[in-house]
Amino acid sequence: MKRTRLLSRLWEFQNKYGYIPDNAISEIAQKLRVSKIEIEGVISFYHFFYRKPTGKYIVYLNNSIISEFNGFKDIKAAFEKETGCTFNSYDNNPLFSLFETSCIGLSDQEPAALINFYPFTHLTSEKVKSIIEKLRNYETLESISNNPTCKIQYTPTEEKTIFFRNYSIGNSLKKIKPNNQNKLLANIEKAKLEGRGGAFFSTAAKWNACKASKSTKKYIICNADEGEPGTFKDKALLNNYPGLIIEGMIIAAFITGAKTGFIYLRAEYKYLLKKLENTINEFTEKGFLGKNILGIDAFNFKIKIELGAGAYVCGAETALIESLEGFRGEPRIRKYFPTENGYLGHSTVVNNVETFAMASRIIELGPNFINTIGTKQSKGTKIISIAGDVAKPGIYEIEWGTSIQQLLHLSQATAPHYIQISGPSGECINNSEFHRKICEEDLICGGSIMVFNKFRSIIQILENFTKFFKIESCGACTPCRAGNQILYEKILKIKRGICTSKDLEEIKQWGKIMQYSSRCGLGQYAANTLMMAVDKFNDYFNLKVETCTDNCNVEFDMQNAVYDYDLIINTQANNLQ
């Protein structure tokens, strides 16, 4: 299907011209046999494609809440001052264009920005001035950008470390032998591996469904579109252990019979693209990818990398598949699982980066080793990214069952008050819940923890989160499209001091509507944190709202306010007549 090349073709023109001109759309439409209107629709869906000319250097400044609390406004002002441009507008400046963007996976090194997708971290006004001067003097982005290392702050004792232990290419693949698919699958099941992207669906069940499928073609997709604000755990694996991920994909291919795999890499991690390509080449040279892998007849598997273009909703597996197929990344109506009808209508396995890496370690180390670590229901370890008001932000590999209190101690949190678990779509907890443990039996965590001390504005946090969902909603379903806008307006009312207890009830009502009727996880979980915060921080909100009766109306009524004035003016006018 030619249309599957659409995303990569759009990137070719975006990279070449800084935008996608009319003639490019005409050329793509003719070669891929896709209408120009459809191509326009795809372009408009993604943040990083432009239809108007941009400068040579496109700056993407992260506006996440961690960035806000670490000097975002000052850095934004510095970029505008030094470039003479305005954020989120087209200034016809041949050198620079400035845009805000959501989390870029550098929450432990804020404020941070990408310039033509080269990372710049720990920004200050002085550093911004220096960067712009160097670019004006023709220094290359590659030479002046940062190489953001993943700060692995903590791992368990050696006998309990799973992910960040010594790695040698092919260790898990050596366990692959002809006709032992069932044994490998049984080991995955015995280790109770569940999807680490947040859904926590049984990996063995998913792979077995694909294995049993009669589909003529099968595909393995690694979801590396880690877009949840505050999350950067998958980046640590992509950067430090890319081979571990690829081995997990190869094992999945061997079990299911898939011949083709994709790594869907978020554009914000484009600086890791070359490393991934080099790793794939190394695997191919060693006979771990290609034809007759490991000398096993007909065991053929290849991996392609597809670059996303900036759409949080593509983290949903069906939206990701739509994007790979060359369509807008809108989630499909849940009629079939991807293992039944996935990429191009064929059986497809979609798992995230951490899941594939864990699968590789399970096969390498054995399920018995994994099952000695963790809790009764959650086996092994979990990778957590911690950011915010902590002295040691970064990556933590923890044993399942570790408490929030232990994590706050390890990360050296300062006066923790509000903790956000699993990003804005997760849940918030207050200081009465710090005893809770990260595991399936208690507090499920997809991988992100943001810590905010008692001096941070809870309303500012919630406003940032809600604005993020409002912008990232694909707009395909009304509950999400309208619900996020309504919730955002409610937060603005709280900020203006005109919110009532009735508004807080309406927040919960709209949240329930979104949970029950949105077509994908974005809408279903977007209101979670706001609804929880109203209850868990009720003392805070009680100070922000007026107690309301049925006749209460504290909003400003323009018509009522000008009634007397209009009456006088109209009376005078009538007298003059």
Side-chain angles (χ1 to χ4, degrees):
M1 183 179 176
K2 289 185 177 182
R3 182 163 186 154
T4 59
R5 304 205 306 269
L6 179 56
L7 215 58
S8 58
R9 290 288 286 142
L10 290 173
W11 269 119
E12 288 176 19
F13 287 104
Q14 178 66 42
N15 292 334
K16 184 176 181 179
Y17 299 110
Y19 75 112
I20 301 169
D22 292 338
N23 62 337
I25 293 177
S26 299
E27 180 182 328
I28 294 171
Q30 185 176 10
K31 289 186 177 181
L32 301 188
R33 297 183 180 180
V34 180
S35 74
K36 289 193 278 187
I37 292 176
E38 285 188 89
I39 294 174
E40 288 271 12
V42 172
I43 293 170
S44 66
F45 183 82
Y46 296 97
H47 298 319
F48 298 135
F49 290 149
Y50 301 105
R51 290 288 282 116
K52 295 180 181 180
T54 58
K56 180 180 178 181
Y57 303 109
I58 304 177
V59 177
Y60 299 106
L61 180 61
N62 176 21
N63 62 9
S64 72
I65 189 62
I66 302 293
S67 180
E68 276 193 26
F69 287 148
N70 282 274
F72 165 78
K73 287 185 178 180
D74 291 338
I75 303 307
K76 180 179 178 179
F79 270 115
E80 290 185 332
K81 177 184 177 183
E82 300 302 329
T83 62
C85 299
T86 303
F87 267 89
N88 305 317
S89 65
Y90 295 89
D91 295 289
N92 296 319
N93 186 310
L95 272 185
F96 301 102
S97 292
L98 309 178
F99 297 98
E100 292 182 36
T101 192
S102 58
C103 186
I104 57 178
L106 293 167
S107 295
D108 57 336
Q109 301 171 63
E110 296 292 355
L114 299 171
I115 304 180
N116 292 4
F117 297 102
Y118 284 91
F120 291 82
T121 62
H122 299 297
L123 292 171
T124 62
S125 297
E126 293 75 18
K127 191 170 183 179
V128 169
K129 181 178 181 180
S130 174
I131 290 167
I132 300 304
E133 285 179 352
K134 288 176 180 179
L135 292 178
R136 290 187 189 279
N137 291 325
Y138 307 105
E139 293 190 42
T140 64
L141 281 167
E142 187 174 10
S143 66
I144 66 172
S145 66
N146 300 121
N147 181 20
T149 57
C150 298
K151 293 181 280 188
I152 301 171
Q153 300 283 19
Y154 173 82
T155 58
T157 55
E158 186 176 349
E159 65 273 13
K160 289 188 175 183
T161 297
I162 295 175
F163 291 100
F164 299 120
R165 62 193 294 125
N166 290 335
Y167 168 76
S168 296
I169 185 171
N171 270 1
S172 64
L173 300 181
K174 294 173 184 176
K175 305 294 178 73
I176 293 179
K177 298 176 183 177
N179 304 315
N180 77 332
Q181 288 96 334
N182 290 335
K183 183 178 179 181
L184 294 174
L185 189 61
N187 285 341
I188 297 294
E189 184 174 16
K190 188 176 180 181
K192 296 185 177 180
L193 176 60
E194 296 176 333
R196 298 296 182 87
F200 293 96
F201 184 80
S202 168
T203 301
K206 181 182 288 190
W207 291 12
N208 189 51
C210 184
K211 178 177 182 290
S213 172
K214 302 299 181 182
S215 180
T216 56
K217 293 181 180 179
K218 298 177 182 180
Y219 296 92
I220 306 296
I221 298 176
C222 175
N223 183 348
D225 192 48
E226 176 183 56
E228 189 77 25
T231 309
F232 47 95
K233 66 179 182 67
D234 287 350
K235 178 168 64 69
L237 289 170
L238 290 165
N239 194 30
N240 293 21
Y241 294 89
L244 204 60
I245 303 155
I246 291 170
E247 289 194 37
M249 294 179 69
I250 295 170
I251 291 166
F254 179 71
I255 290 172
T256 61
K259 304 296 182 184
T260 303
F262 296 96
I263 297 176
Y264 188 93
L265 182 69
R266 70 185 307 222
E268 292 89 337
Y269 291 169
K270 188 177 178 181
Y271 56 92
L272 298 175
L273 179 60
K274 183 59 66 177
K275 177 174 286 190
L276 286 171
E277 289 174 339
N278 290 340
T279 305
I280 289 173
N281 290 337
E282 184 181 3
F283 269 72
T284 303
E285 291 170 2
K286 290 183 179 293
F288 296 144
L289 284 172
K291 294 184 177 181
N292 301 322
I293 296 170
L294 298 165
I296 301 173
D297 289 339
F299 178 24
N300 308 325
F301 185 61
K302 60 182 179 180
I303 294 176
K304 303 175 183 178
I305 302 175
E306 188 73 65
L307 198 65
Y312 166 75
V313 74
C314 284
E317 59 182 9
T318 59
L320 187 154
I321 291 171
E322 289 285 308
S323 182
L324 279 175
E325 290 180 350
F327 296 93
R328 292 165 63 91
E330 296 174 350
R332 296 173 177 174
I333 296 174
R334 182 65 81 178
K335 184 177 181 180
Y336 301 102
F337 288 109
T339 51
E340 299 171 281
N341 188 333
Y343 181 68
L344 301 179
H346 297 291
S347 182
T348 304
V349 164
V350 183
N351 282 119
N352 84 322
V353 166
E354 187 181 348
T355 308
F356 282 119
M358 186 64 182
S360 178
R361 288 300 198 194
I362 289 170
I363 300 305
E364 176 190 351
L365 303 171
N368 292 334
F369 175 86
I370 303 298
N371 288 337
T372 62
I373 307 166
T375 67
K376 184 177 180 179
Q377 295 182 41
S378 301
K379 299 300 183 183
T381 61
K382 181 79 183 80
I383 303 178
I384 302 290
S385 54
I386 301 181
D389 295 317
V390 296
K392 297 175 68 176
I395 299 295
Y396 291 73
E397 181 180 349
I398 62 167
E399 184 176 1
W400 285 109
T402 302
S403 71
I404 296 297
Q405 190 65 61
Q406 289 174 286
L407 286 173
L408 294 174
H409 174 74
L410 289 172
S411 61
Q412 297 179 15
T414 54
H417 179 64
Y418 176 111
I419 312 294
Q420 187 67 33
I421 308 294
S422 297
S425 66
E427 62 178 288
C428 60
I429 63 174
N430 58 31
N431 53 17
S432 70
E433 300 176 273
F434 290 175
H435 65 280
R436 297 183 65 182
K437 297 179 179 180
I438 303 292
C439 58
E440 190 172 337
E441 298 94 314
D442 186 6
L443 188 61
I444 284 292
C445 179
S448 163
I449 293 180
M450 290 186 276
V451 181
F452 303 103
N453 65 34
K454 61 183 179 181
F455 304 107
R456 302 301 189 187
S457 166
I458 292 177
I459 287 299
Q460 187 177 349
I461 296 168
L462 297 173
E463 179 185 6
N464 184 282
F465 290 170
T466 307
K467 184 178 181 180
F468 168 78
F469 288 122
K470 181 171 71 79
I471 293 171
E472 292 294 339
S473 173
C474 74
C477 68
T478 302
C480 179
R481 181 180 65 248
N484 279 303
Q485 179 64 43
I486 290 168
L487 294 180
Y488 185 68
E489 292 299 329
K490 295 292 186 186
I491 290 175
L492 295 184
K493 285 185 70 175
I494 296 173
K495 286 184 66 178
R496 293 197 297 266
I498 57 173
C499 183
T500 70
S501 55
K502 184 178 179 181
D503 288 304
L504 297 186
E505 287 303 315
E506 289 178 356
I507 284 173
K508 294 179 183 179
Q509 291 169 8
W510 272 104
K512 291 295 183 184
I513 291 171
M514 292 167 66
Q515 285 178 343
Y516 294 140
S517 56
S518 295
R519 69 188 290 182
C520 83
L522 190 154
Q524 292 163 9
Y525 295 106
N528 272 13
T529 292
L530 180 55
M531 293 167 64
M532 289 181 180
V534 169
D535 289 331
K536 294 186 177 184
F537 296 90
N538 60 323
D539 289 344
Y540 174 85
F541 281 94
N542 286 340
L543 295 174
K544 297 284 184 181
V545 302
E546 293 287 339
T547 303
C548 186
T549 64
D550 291 339
N551 297 319
C552 178
N553 183 8
V554 298
E555 287 192 77
F556 182 75
D557 187 338
M558 175 64 78
Q559 187 174 1
N560 185 58
V562 300
Y563 177 82
D564 291 338
Y565 175 82
D566 285 342
L567 183 64
I568 294 171
I569 295 298
N570 291 333
T571 301
Q572 291 177 344
N574 290 332
N575 291 336
L576 289 174
Q577 292 176 357

